[in-house]
Amino acid sequence: AAGRSGEPRYTALGLALRSRSDSAVRLLLDAGADVRAPGSNPPAIHLACEYGCAGDNFGKIIKAMDGDVSVTGEAGGGDGGAGSSKYAATPLHIAAESGQVELVKTLVAQPTCDVNAQRASDGSTALNLAVKGGHVEMVRTLVEDGKCDCTVAGFPVAAEGEGEGEG
């Protein structure tokens, strides 16, 4: 049964991605699993970006999405509890935050990928998330092609709990 809006709802493909079972993912994709299954939250591509995914499987997911890597998931369904906005972001945000360098390289090569897209919840870009996570190779990957705007501000200090009550 489907959960309430925003709650996680996993298809077999989503569960295989969460379990990091590349063999099961491959079998499901080859059997025609719908990467855009109605009602699934988070989307399969977001789970692939969070938990990692073999390159050939990731390519199949992107192909099944007609190359559209700008999709965002619903708010909720993340590890942050009810109302979490973890998946209300692009796959690039999720991959950058999760340290998935190879997947980021694949994503930024797609024409529909906006490397400067800002996450609705806090305005962060993939670059902001990579820097915050200490993913140096990810930062290099994002800035090397020159498309990444290094001046976009994200993560308001107060939102991170730093600087509050000081002074």
Side-chain angles (χ1 to χ4, degrees), residues 12-15 28 30 44-45 62 81 87 91-92 98 111-112 114 129 136 138 151 156-157 166:
L13 178 59
L15 292 171
L28 290 164
D30 289 346
I45 193 167
I62 291 173
Y87 297 115
L92 184 62
S98 301
T112 60
D114 178 2
L129 297 167
V136 177
M138 181 79 60
T151 65
V157 173
E166 293 179 10

PDB file of all heavy atoms in Angstrom, residues 12-15 28 30 44-45 62 81 87 91-92 98 111-112 114 129 136 138 151 156-157 166:
ATOM      1  N   ALA A  12      10.426  -2.485  -6.236  1.00  0.00           N
ATOM      2  CA  ALA A  12      11.479  -3.509  -6.150  1.00  0.00           C
ATOM      3  C   ALA A  12      12.811  -2.918  -6.608  1.00  0.00           C
ATOM      4  O   ALA A  12      13.864  -3.181  -5.999  1.00  0.00           O
ATOM      5  CB  ALA A  12      11.104  -4.720  -6.994  1.00  0.00           C
ATOM      6  N   LEU A  13      12.785  -2.086  -7.643  1.00  0.00           N
ATOM      7  CA  LEU A  13      14.008  -1.439  -8.116  1.00  0.00           C
ATOM      8  C   LEU A  13      14.586  -0.528  -7.037  1.00  0.00           C
ATOM      9  O   LEU A  13      15.791  -0.533  -6.781  1.00  0.00           O
ATOM     10  CB  LEU A  13      13.733  -0.650  -9.395  1.00  0.00           C
ATOM     11  CG  LEU A  13      14.916   0.116  -9.980  1.00  0.00           C
ATOM     12  CD1 LEU A  13      16.076  -0.829 -10.324  1.00  0.00           C
ATOM     13  CD2 LEU A  13      14.473   0.902 -11.213  1.00  0.00           C
ATOM     14  N   GLY A  14      13.727   0.241  -6.393  1.00  0.00           N
ATOM     15  CA  GLY A  14      14.180   1.115  -5.316  1.00  0.00           C
ATOM     16  C   GLY A  14      14.819   0.337  -4.177  1.00  0.00           C
ATOM     17  O   GLY A  14      15.857   0.725  -3.636  1.00  0.00           O
ATOM     18  N   LEU A  15      14.215  -0.782  -3.824  1.00  0.00           N
ATOM     19  CA  LEU A  15      14.778  -1.616  -2.757  1.00  0.00           C
ATOM     20  C   LEU A  15      16.119  -2.212  -3.165  1.00  0.00           C
ATOM     21  O   LEU A  15      17.051  -2.284  -2.353  1.00  0.00           O
ATOM     22  CB  LEU A  15      13.793  -2.720  -2.366  1.00  0.00           C
ATOM     23  CG  LEU A  15      12.530  -2.230  -1.664  1.00  0.00           C
ATOM     24  CD1 LEU A  15      11.526  -3.368  -1.522  1.00  0.00           C
ATOM     25  CD2 LEU A  15      12.865  -1.634  -0.305  1.00  0.00           C
ATOM     26  N   LEU A  28      16.316  -6.271 -12.814  1.00  0.00           N
ATOM     27  CA  LEU A  28      15.056  -5.519 -12.827  1.00  0.00           C
ATOM     28  C   LEU A  28      14.993  -4.546 -14.003  1.00  0.00           C
ATOM     29  O   LEU A  28      13.961  -4.428 -14.671  1.00  0.00           O
ATOM     30  CB  LEU A  28      14.858  -4.789 -11.498  1.00  0.00           C
ATOM     31  CG  LEU A  28      14.570  -5.704 -10.307  1.00  0.00           C
ATOM     32  CD1 LEU A  28      14.767  -4.965  -8.993  1.00  0.00           C
ATOM     33  CD2 LEU A  28      13.158  -6.264 -10.414  1.00  0.00           C
ATOM     34  N   ASP A  30      16.644  -4.807 -16.837  1.00  0.00           N
ATOM     35  CA  ASP A  30      16.529  -5.604 -18.061  1.00  0.00           C
ATOM     36  C   ASP A  30      15.121  -6.182 -18.234  1.00  0.00           C
ATOM     37  O   ASP A  30      14.681  -6.432 -19.355  1.00  0.00           O
ATOM     38  CB  ASP A  30      17.569  -6.730 -18.076  1.00  0.00           C
ATOM     39  CG  ASP A  30      18.987  -6.200 -18.280  1.00  0.00           C
ATOM     40  OD1 ASP A  30      19.148  -5.022 -18.671  1.00  0.00           O
ATOM     41  OD2 ASP A  30      19.942  -6.967 -18.034  1.00  0.00           O
ATOM     42  N   ALA A  44      13.935   6.445  -8.446  1.00  0.00           N
ATOM     43  CA  ALA A  44      15.034   5.481  -8.573  1.00  0.00           C
ATOM     44  C   ALA A  44      16.375   6.171  -8.794  1.00  0.00           C
ATOM     45  O   ALA A  44      17.385   5.777  -8.199  1.00  0.00           O
ATOM     46  CB  ALA A  44      14.740   4.511  -9.720  1.00  0.00           C
ATOM     47  N   ILE A  45      16.405   7.216  -9.604  1.00  0.00           N
ATOM     48  CA  ILE A  45      17.681   7.877  -9.879  1.00  0.00           C
ATOM     49  C   ILE A  45      18.259   8.516  -8.613  1.00  0.00           C
ATOM     50  O   ILE A  45      19.464   8.538  -8.408  1.00  0.00           O
ATOM     51  CB  ILE A  45      17.577   8.898 -11.034  1.00  0.00           C
ATOM     52  CG1 ILE A  45      18.985   9.308 -11.488  1.00  0.00           C
ATOM     53  CG2 ILE A  45      16.698  10.078 -10.647  1.00  0.00           C
ATOM     54  CD1 ILE A  45      19.016  10.065 -12.795  1.00  0.00           C
ATOM     55  N   ILE A  62      19.329   6.446 -16.681  1.00  0.00           N
ATOM     56  CA  ILE A  62      19.283   7.734 -17.385  1.00  0.00           C
ATOM     57  C   ILE A  62      18.614   7.571 -18.747  1.00  0.00           C
ATOM     58  O   ILE A  62      17.779   8.391 -19.138  1.00  0.00           O
ATOM     59  CB  ILE A  62      20.694   8.343 -17.514  1.00  0.00           C
ATOM     60  CG1 ILE A  62      21.202   8.775 -16.130  1.00  0.00           C
ATOM     61  CG2 ILE A  62      20.691   9.528 -18.475  1.00  0.00           C
ATOM     62  CD1 ILE A  62      22.639   9.236 -16.112  1.00  0.00           C
ATOM     63  N   GLY A  81      13.431  12.479   8.869  1.00  0.00           N
ATOM     64  CA  GLY A  81      12.139  12.403   9.531  1.00  0.00           C
ATOM     65  C   GLY A  81      11.039  13.037   8.704  1.00  0.00           C
ATOM     66  O   GLY A  81      11.236  13.429   7.565  1.00  0.00           O
ATOM     67  N   TYR A  87      15.173  14.463  -0.537  1.00  0.00           N
ATOM     68  CA  TYR A  87      14.996  14.063  -1.926  1.00  0.00           C
ATOM     69  C   TYR A  87      14.324  15.135  -2.771  1.00  0.00           C
ATOM     70  O   TYR A  87      14.152  14.944  -3.964  1.00  0.00           O
ATOM     71  CB  TYR A  87      14.221  12.751  -2.013  1.00  0.00           C
ATOM     72  CG  TYR A  87      14.966  11.610  -1.374  1.00  0.00           C
ATOM     73  CD1 TYR A  87      14.471  10.980  -0.241  1.00  0.00           C
ATOM     74  CD2 TYR A  87      16.175  11.160  -1.896  1.00  0.00           C
ATOM     75  CE1 TYR A  87      15.159   9.936   0.348  1.00  0.00           C
ATOM     76  CE2 TYR A  87      16.872  10.122  -1.313  1.00  0.00           C
ATOM     77  CZ  TYR A  87      16.359   9.513  -0.195  1.00  0.00           C
ATOM     78  OH  TYR A  87      17.046   8.488   0.394  1.00  0.00           O
ATOM     79  N   PRO A  91      19.108  14.861  -8.810  1.00  0.00           N
ATOM     80  CA  PRO A  91      20.037  13.751  -8.598  1.00  0.00           C
ATOM     81  C   PRO A  91      21.473  14.236  -8.358  1.00  0.00           C
ATOM     82  O   PRO A  91      22.211  13.637  -7.578  1.00  0.00           O
ATOM     83  CB  PRO A  91      19.926  12.951  -9.902  1.00  0.00           C
ATOM     84  CG  PRO A  91      18.537  13.231 -10.382  1.00  0.00           C
ATOM     85  CD  PRO A  91      18.294  14.673 -10.019  1.00  0.00           C
ATOM     86  N   LEU A  92      21.864  15.329  -9.011  1.00  0.00           N
ATOM     87  CA  LEU A  92      23.211  15.865  -8.817  1.00  0.00           C
ATOM     88  C   LEU A  92      23.436  16.276  -7.364  1.00  0.00           C
ATOM     89  O   LEU A  92      24.506  16.033  -6.803  1.00  0.00           O
ATOM     90  CB  LEU A  92      23.468  17.045  -9.763  1.00  0.00           C
ATOM     91  CG  LEU A  92      24.873  17.638  -9.715  1.00  0.00           C
ATOM     92  CD1 LEU A  92      25.921  16.593 -10.127  1.00  0.00           C
ATOM     93  CD2 LEU A  92      24.956  18.864 -10.608  1.00  0.00           C
ATOM     94  N   SER A  98      26.443  12.711  -1.350  1.00  0.00           N
ATOM     95  CA  SER A  98      26.785  11.338  -0.979  1.00  0.00           C
ATOM     96  C   SER A  98      28.201  10.939  -1.396  1.00  0.00           C
ATOM     97  O   SER A  98      28.625   9.820  -1.128  1.00  0.00           O
ATOM     98  CB  SER A  98      25.780  10.368  -1.607  1.00  0.00           C
ATOM     99  OG  SER A  98      24.479  10.667  -1.161  1.00  0.00           O
ATOM    100  N   PRO A 111      23.035  16.743 -21.097  1.00  0.00           N
ATOM    101  CA  PRO A 111      22.608  18.099 -21.482  1.00  0.00           C
ATOM    102  C   PRO A 111      21.578  18.718 -20.541  1.00  0.00           C
ATOM    103  O   PRO A 111      21.495  19.932 -20.426  1.00  0.00           O
ATOM    104  CB  PRO A 111      22.003  17.914 -22.881  1.00  0.00           C
ATOM    105  CG  PRO A 111      22.499  16.607 -23.374  1.00  0.00           C
ATOM    106  CD  PRO A 111      22.803  15.769 -22.174  1.00  0.00           C
ATOM    107  N   THR A 112      20.784  17.889 -19.861  1.00  0.00           N
ATOM    108  CA  THR A 112      19.735  18.429 -18.977  1.00  0.00           C
ATOM    109  C   THR A 112      20.241  18.739 -17.572  1.00  0.00           C
ATOM    110  O   THR A 112      19.471  19.215 -16.744  1.00  0.00           O
ATOM    111  CB  THR A 112      18.556  17.454 -18.872  1.00  0.00           C
ATOM    112  OG1 THR A 112      19.029  16.217 -18.328  1.00  0.00           O
ATOM    113  CG2 THR A 112      17.898  17.223 -20.225  1.00  0.00           C
ATOM    114  N   ASP A 114      21.810  20.772 -14.742  1.00  0.00           N
ATOM    115  CA  ASP A 114      22.128  22.154 -14.370  1.00  0.00           C
ATOM    116  C   ASP A 114      23.026  22.092 -13.134  1.00  0.00           C
ATOM    117  O   ASP A 114      22.554  21.875 -12.022  1.00  0.00           O
ATOM    118  CB  ASP A 114      20.847  22.930 -14.064  1.00  0.00           C
ATOM    119  CG  ASP A 114      21.110  24.359 -13.616  1.00  0.00           C
ATOM    120  OD1 ASP A 114      22.288  24.789 -13.561  1.00  0.00           O
ATOM    121  OD2 ASP A 114      20.121  25.056 -13.308  1.00  0.00           O
ATOM    122  N   LEU A 129      27.310  21.416  -1.490  1.00  0.00           N
ATOM    123  CA  LEU A 129      27.180  20.147  -0.777  1.00  0.00           C
ATOM    124  C   LEU A 129      28.477  19.354  -0.797  1.00  0.00           C
ATOM    125  O   LEU A 129      28.854  18.735   0.205  1.00  0.00           O
ATOM    126  CB  LEU A 129      26.035  19.324  -1.383  1.00  0.00           C
ATOM    127  CG  LEU A 129      24.656  19.971  -1.254  1.00  0.00           C
ATOM    128  CD1 LEU A 129      23.651  19.269  -2.150  1.00  0.00           C
ATOM    129  CD2 LEU A 129      24.193  19.967   0.189  1.00  0.00           C
ATOM    130  N   VAL A 136      36.725  16.419  -1.856  1.00  0.00           N
ATOM    131  CA  VAL A 136      37.636  17.216  -2.674  1.00  0.00           C
ATOM    132  C   VAL A 136      37.608  16.797  -4.142  1.00  0.00           C
ATOM    133  O   VAL A 136      37.561  17.653  -5.034  1.00  0.00           O
ATOM    134  CB  VAL A 136      39.081  17.143  -2.116  1.00  0.00           C
ATOM    135  CG1 VAL A 136      40.053  17.904  -2.999  1.00  0.00           C
ATOM    136  CG2 VAL A 136      39.114  17.687  -0.697  1.00  0.00           C
ATOM    137  N   MET A 138      35.190  15.491  -5.698  1.00  0.00           N
ATOM    138  CA  MET A 138      33.891  15.944  -6.208  1.00  0.00           C
ATOM    139  C   MET A 138      33.967  17.430  -6.563  1.00  0.00           C
ATOM    140  O   MET A 138      33.481  17.834  -7.616  1.00  0.00           O
ATOM    141  CB  MET A 138      32.821  15.732  -5.141  1.00  0.00           C
ATOM    142  CG  MET A 138      31.443  16.133  -5.570  1.00  0.00           C
ATOM    143  SD  MET A 138      30.703  14.894  -6.590  1.00  0.00           S
ATOM    144  CE  MET A 138      30.701  13.507  -5.490  1.00  0.00           C
ATOM    145  N   THR A 151      30.319  31.169  -7.043  1.00  0.00           N
ATOM    146  CA  THR A 151      29.896  32.292  -6.211  1.00  0.00           C
ATOM    147  C   THR A 151      28.507  32.124  -5.614  1.00  0.00           C
ATOM    148  O   THR A 151      28.061  32.974  -4.839  1.00  0.00           O
ATOM    149  CB  THR A 151      29.919  33.607  -7.017  1.00  0.00           C
ATOM    150  OG1 THR A 151      28.938  33.522  -8.060  1.00  0.00           O
ATOM    151  CG2 THR A 151      31.295  33.854  -7.620  1.00  0.00           C
ATOM    152  N   PRO A 156      22.725  28.733   4.724  1.00  0.00           N
ATOM    153  CA  PRO A 156      22.792  29.850   5.667  1.00  0.00           C
ATOM    154  C   PRO A 156      23.392  29.362   6.982  1.00  0.00           C
ATOM    155  O   PRO A 156      23.061  28.286   7.453  1.00  0.00           O
ATOM    156  CB  PRO A 156      21.321  30.251   5.851  1.00  0.00           C
ATOM    157  CG  PRO A 156      20.607  29.650   4.695  1.00  0.00           C
ATOM    158  CD  PRO A 156      21.387  28.453   4.268  1.00  0.00           C
ATOM    159  N   VAL A 157      24.296  30.124   7.539  1.00  0.00           N
ATOM    160  CA  VAL A 157      25.007  29.705   8.759  1.00  0.00           C
ATOM    161  C   VAL A 157      24.013  29.362   9.875  1.00  0.00           C
ATOM    162  O   VAL A 157      24.161  28.348  10.548  1.00  0.00           O
ATOM    163  CB  VAL A 157      25.996  30.787   9.227  1.00  0.00           C
ATOM    164  CG1 VAL A 157      26.593  30.433  10.577  1.00  0.00           C
ATOM    165  CG2 VAL A 157      27.093  30.971   8.195  1.00  0.00           C
ATOM    166  N   GLU A 166      25.754  33.421  19.670  1.00  0.00           N
ATOM    167  CA  GLU A 166      27.107  33.909  19.979  1.00  0.00           C
ATOM    168  C   GLU A 166      27.096  35.422  20.016  1.00  0.00           C
ATOM    169  O   GLU A 166      26.335  36.074  19.349  1.00  0.00           O
ATOM    170  CB  GLU A 166      28.105  33.424  18.913  1.00  0.00           C
ATOM    171  CG  GLU A 166      28.298  31.935  18.935  1.00  0.00           C
ATOM    172  CD  GLU A 166      29.266  31.461  17.848  1.00  0.00           C
ATOM    173  OE1 GLU A 166      29.907  32.315  17.227  1.00  0.00           O
ATOM    174  OE2 GLU A 166      29.361  30.259  17.629  1.00  0.00           O
TER     175      GLU A 166
END
